[in-house]
Amino acid sequence: IKYYSGVVFIIRIRTPGRGLTPESVREFLFRMIKREFGFDYIPEYHMDIVNLEEYYLEPERNTFLVACLGERVVGTLGLRAYDREFRGLNYDPESTASLWRVFVHEDYRRMGIASYLVGLAEYIAMENDYTDIYLHTHKHVEGALDFWLSRGYRIVMDTGNELGTVHMEKSLKGPVEWNRYSSEPVLP
């Protein structure tokens, strides 16, 4: 468990303490999905949430990051080996990590929490010998595309679908350093 500016960053949610459980993380994730996308549980899209342990905690190179303020979950990010098949995209799961479930509660946005989580995830990915990171985002989610572009991700495919899905990647080759002090969240 790491503490910065009143925010708790838990690298593995099985870490004891602070009243945090996989179920409280699931509840946060489903609330955020309902808020951002307007839908509830869809098995083919949300199996990783139902099975957090299987997707993020048990595999050696995967992890799930949670930011808490007190006992309240305010941000999440899942890092796992690339394991999806999207038409037109071909990534090697041995060298490509993927980011999933990057959410920050609307009351805590623009305070550096997402930047901190992403910076930490990129560092963890490099430490686990990944050379690239894949993600997809949605153009209609306020600020999402600009955020990822500002972090050095590039668009590799714009699907043009009704969800506004954009596939992105970033190379981790070369010197990349994570400095916990340079991206520390600033909270009120």
Side-chain angles (χ1 to χ4, degrees):
I1 301 175
K2 307 286 183 191
Y3 300 89
Y4 301 102
S5 298
V7 177
V8 178
F9 292 93
I10 299 177
I11 295 175
R12 297 269 190 175
I13 60 172
R14 65 176 165 234
T15 303
R18 309 288 302 174
L20 187 65
T21 65
E23 191 52 43
S24 64
V25 173
R26 286 183 193 97
E27 289 172 10
F28 171 81
L29 290 167
F30 282 122
R31 274 195 314 271
M32 295 303 299
I33 288 167
K34 181 72 169 181
R35 181 186 185 284
E36 297 296 340
F37 304 106
F39 49 80
D40 295 307
Y41 172 67
I42 300 173
E44 60 267 25
Y45 294 155
H46 304 131
M47 286 305 297
D48 64 312
I49 297 172
V50 173
N51 299 301
L52 284 170
E53 297 83 357
E54 177 185 336
Y55 279 83
Y56 299 105
L57 303 181
E58 293 168 4
E60 181 81 18
R61 297 170 72 200
N62 298 0
T63 196
F64 201 86
L65 306 175
V66 180
C68 296
L69 185 57
E71 299 211 0
R72 182 178 186 182
V73 176
V74 296
T76 59
L77 182 149
L79 172 76
R80 67 185 199 230
Y82 181 82
D83 61 358
R84 296 293 298 259
E85 291 184 24
F86 293 105
R87 189 177 314 147
L89 299 175
N90 185 22
Y91 294 103
D92 177 1
E94 288 302 312
S95 62
T96 305
S98 55
L99 299 182
W100 294 87
R101 311 306 174 199
V102 182
F103 290 110
V104 174
H105 188 282
E106 61 273 15
D107 292 344
Y108 299 94
R109 292 183 182 165
R110 306 196 75 64
M111 296 179 186
I113 294 171
S115 292
Y116 189 94
L117 290 171
V118 170
L120 180 55
E122 290 172 351
Y123 178 78
I124 292 169
M126 287 180 19
E127 289 290 305
N128 282 287
D129 298 319
Y130 291 111
T131 58
D132 299 287
I133 294 186
Y134 159 86
L135 65 90
H136 69 269
T137 191
H138 304 278
K139 291 188 281 187
H140 76 275
V141 175
E142 185 179 340
L145 186 57
D146 289 337
F147 171 78
W148 293 112
L149 291 169
S150 76
R151 300 284 311 174
Y153 288 79
R154 67 180 192 90
I155 297 171
V156 293
M157 182 190 308
D158 183 340
T159 65
N161 67 12
E162 67 279 356
L163 291 175
T165 305
V166 176
H167 298 273
M168 305 181 83
E169 68 183 17
K170 180 178 182 176
S171 173
L172 297 176
K173 296 174 183 151
V176 177
E177 186 176 318
W178 176 70
N179 180 341
R180 68 181 177 140
Y181 300 107
S182 68
S183 59
E184 184 176 325
V186 179
L187 296 174

